[in-house]
Amino acid sequence: MIGTVFRSEDVPAEHRFDYWRELVHRAIAPSDITSDHAGDFWAEQRLLELGPAMVWPVSVVPTTFRRTEKMVRQCDPEMYHLSLVLGGELGLDHIGLTDVYKARDLWVTDTSEPYDVRPPHDGDRRLVTGVAVDFPKALLPLSPDRVRELLGRRLSGREGTGSLLTEFLIGLDRQANFLQPSDAPRLGTVLIDLLSAWFAQVLDAEDALPPETRHRAMTTRIRAFIRQNLRDPGLTPPLIAAAHHISVSYLHRLFQEQAPGEDGGGETVAAWIRRLRLEGARRDLADPALRAVPIHTVAARWGLPRASDFTRAFRTMYGLTPKEYRLQALSSPEPMEQTEKTEQTEQTEQTEQAEQTGPTRPTRQPKQAE
């Protein structure tokens, strides 16, 4: 597990708000944190340190965060703060802009400027849920003047790179119990690349990104697209390349540049797709609830419609035919349980990032570019 977890019920009632406030101060620039519900406080929060970035998923009763000009003068860590609202509502005042944010809205603030985050309705006790990210300005390959154009604006986490970023942040929280501290630096790099790509997309400034950042962000979008369309038997490298307006050769090069051990690293595009499909079919074959579903139907559901090809590929990967594996898995559920749980965790982490992300299949002939 990575990160520090806070649950208000684990702390005596009279100390809950103060304890939580000190925890939050570890993640954000100094600010005045208050709540009308401090005497009956409730919150659940996790702090994830991913290299230089701090990610903190939170569910909390309505709370106010106020950073004044005096606080800015006293201490400025030179950070950007990103907030993703998933449930409830929050109001924000920042650099002269005021707005209310709801589910799947994003905003960006600058620790060098005052801000006021507050519940929009007095007396409301409905929980606010979301994910916040704090990261050094110096890591963003865009000028502060360009980034200032985004401060305090209500931005969407529902489409494009914003949706991919949203699902990545949600997935981090859901999978935190299964991640290890050694995963943190790699996940931090992925997060900074996604943030950079999203900022650049919103600002129409992709050309300002370093080539390696553009490549990594493109690879992340492609992997999400593949997972989203994994069950489509027509999912092929040419279709994937067309959906992202790149050439097939560039698609293969992006995968070749990934180091072995990374997600899809060391594999061709087709091999990675085949492995993900076989892993999905394997889990279904071991599921007692699906024991009556014919094997060829399970395979077809995972984009593997040719029974003979599926059997041959499955036996090559797992050393058993699909029928043999199903009999073994369903006749001895306890030995298989941990294996299947581990694999499902891995696939869940992958698929959760892909929901509602990436381009859909193309309906016109796109241009090719590298």
Side-chain angles (χ1 to χ4, degrees), residues 16 26 43 87 91 110 117 121 126 157 168 180 195 198 205 207 229 249 258 261 267 320 336 366:
R16 288 173 181 171
R26 287 181 48 194
D110 182 343
V117 180
H121 309 294
R126 287 177 296 177
F168 181 81
Q180 301 300 317
L195 286 166
W198 176 65
D207 292 343
N229 295 278
S249 62
Q258 290 183 268
E267 295 178 288
L320 297 170
M336 299 296 298

Side-chain angles (χ1 to χ4, degrees), residues 291-314:
R291 73 167 63 236
V293 179
I295 290 175
H296 67 86
T297 302
V298 171
R301 286 176 176 176
W302 284 100
L304 299 163
R306 293 176 59 89
S308 59
D309 291 346
F310 170 62
T311 298
R312 183 166 52 253
F314 193 96

Side-chain angles (χ1 to χ4, degrees), residues 141 192-194 196-197 200 205-222 246 250 254 257 370:
I192 295 300
D193 284 340
L194 281 175
S196 299
E206 284 90 345
D207 292 343
L209 298 179
E212 60 273 17
T213 297
R214 293 201 303 270
H215 292 173
R216 286 195 296 259
M218 173 65 77
T219 303
T220 300
R221 289 198 296 271
I222 289 171
I246 59 176
Y250 183 49
L254 287 173
E257 290 173 353
E370 298 189 18

Side-chain angles (χ1 to χ4, degrees), residues 82-90 99-107 153-170 198 201-202 228 353-360:
L82 172 81
S83 281
L84 163 66
V85 178
L86 295 174
E89 298 181 3
L90 280 173
D99 210 335
V100 175
Y101 298 78
K102 301 180 181 180
R104 297 271 171 163
D105 286 340
L106 294 153
W107 81 68
R153 286 174 49 185
R154 181 152 49 92
L155 304 167
S156 175
R158 301 173 186 85
E159 65 272 331
T161 306
S163 180
L164 186 59
L165 174 62
T166 292
E167 296 305 326
F168 181 81
L169 293 175
I170 294 172
W198 176 65
Q201 182 187 63
V202 177
Q228 186 179 22
Q353 296 175 19
E355 298 171 3
Q356 303 178 7
T357 65
T360 56

Side-chain angles (χ1 to χ4, degrees), residues 46-357:
R46 187 190 299 268
L47 290 180
L48 303 171
E49 297 186 41
L50 306 181
M54 179 71 79
V55 180
W56 43 293
V58 62
S59 181
V60 63
V61 293
T63 302
T64 296
F65 303 78
R66 182 174 293 108
R67 181 164 167 80
T68 65
E69 292 183 358
K70 181 179 179 180
M71 291 176 174
V72 171
R73 291 193 301 268
Q74 290 175 339
C75 177
D76 183 8
E78 295 288 329
M79 306 279 281
Y80 287 124
H81 172 92
L82 172 81
S83 281
L84 163 66
V85 178
L86 295 174
E89 298 181 3
L90 280 173
L92 170 67
D93 291 335
H94 190 49
I95 66 164
L97 299 177
T98 301
D99 210 335
V100 175
Y101 298 78
K102 301 180 181 180
R104 297 271 171 163
D105 286 340
L106 294 153
W107 81 68
V108 180
T109 56
D110 182 343
T111 61
S112 300
E113 301 282 352
Y115 57 73
D116 188 349
V117 180
R118 69 205 178 285
H121 309 294
D122 293 337
D124 190 353
R125 192 179 165 82
R126 287 177 296 177
L127 294 179
V128 177
T129 60
V131 185
V133 183
D134 290 85
F135 61 99
K137 296 180 185 179
L139 294 182
L140 201 63
L142 296 167
S143 71
D145 289 341
R146 291 305 312 272
V147 176
R148 188 176 178 82
E149 298 175 32
L150 301 182
L151 299 181
R153 286 174 49 185
R154 181 152 49 92
L155 304 167
S156 175
R158 301 173 186 85
E159 65 272 331
T161 306
S163 180
L164 186 59
L165 174 62
T166 292
E167 296 305 326
F168 181 81
L169 293 175
I170 294 172
L172 279 177
D173 184 32
R174 290 176 177 170
Q175 295 302 319
N177 287 333
F178 306 102
L179 297 171
Q180 301 300 317
S182 58
D183 297 320
R186 176 179 58 84
L187 292 171
T189 299
V190 173
L191 176 57
I192 295 300
D193 284 340
L194 281 175
L195 286 166
S196 299
W198 176 65
F199 274 70
Q201 182 187 63
V202 177
L203 291 169
D204 195 20
E206 284 90 345
D207 292 343
L209 298 179
E212 60 273 17
T213 297
R214 293 201 303 270
H215 292 173
R216 286 195 296 259
M218 173 65 77
T219 303
T220 300
R221 289 198 296 271
I222 289 171
R223 291 199 302 261
F225 175 82
I226 289 173
R227 297 185 190 106
Q228 186 179 22
N229 295 278
L230 194 60
R231 295 173 184 265
D232 181 358
L235 184 68
T236 62
L239 184 142
I240 296 166
H244 294 83
H245 308 290
I246 59 176
S247 67
V248 175
S249 62
Y250 183 49
L251 171 66
H252 288 307
R253 189 155 69 247
L254 287 173
F255 267 67
Q256 291 167 359
E257 290 173 353
Q258 290 183 268
E262 292 183 6
D263 188 11
E267 295 178 288
T268 65
V269 180
W272 190 64
I273 292 172
R274 182 172 59 252
R275 177 169 63 82
L276 293 184
R277 286 171 168 168
L278 289 172
E279 288 173 355
R282 185 188 186 195
R283 286 192 305 277
D284 284 356
L285 290 173
D287 187 345
L290 301 177
R291 73 167 63 236
V293 179
I295 290 175
H296 67 86
T297 302
V298 171
R301 286 176 176 176
W302 284 100
L304 299 163
R306 293 176 59 89
S308 59
D309 291 346
F310 170 62
T311 298
R312 183 166 52 253
F314 193 96
R315 183 166 48 201
T316 298
M317 178 168 284
Y318 299 116
L320 297 170
T321 67
K323 181 178 180 180
E324 292 168 341
Y325 177 80
R326 173 180 261 182
L327 287 173
Q328 178 178 316
L330 296 181
S331 63
S332 54
E334 291 187 4
M336 299 296 298
E337 184 177 351
Q338 186 59 43
T339 299
E340 297 303 327
K341 180 178 178 180
T342 300
E343 291 178 356
Q344 186 161 4
T345 295
E346 177 183 355
Q347 181 68 6
T348 300
E349 177 183 7
Q350 295 169 345
T351 55
E352 284 171 345
Q353 296 175 19
E355 298 171 3
Q356 303 178 7
T357 65

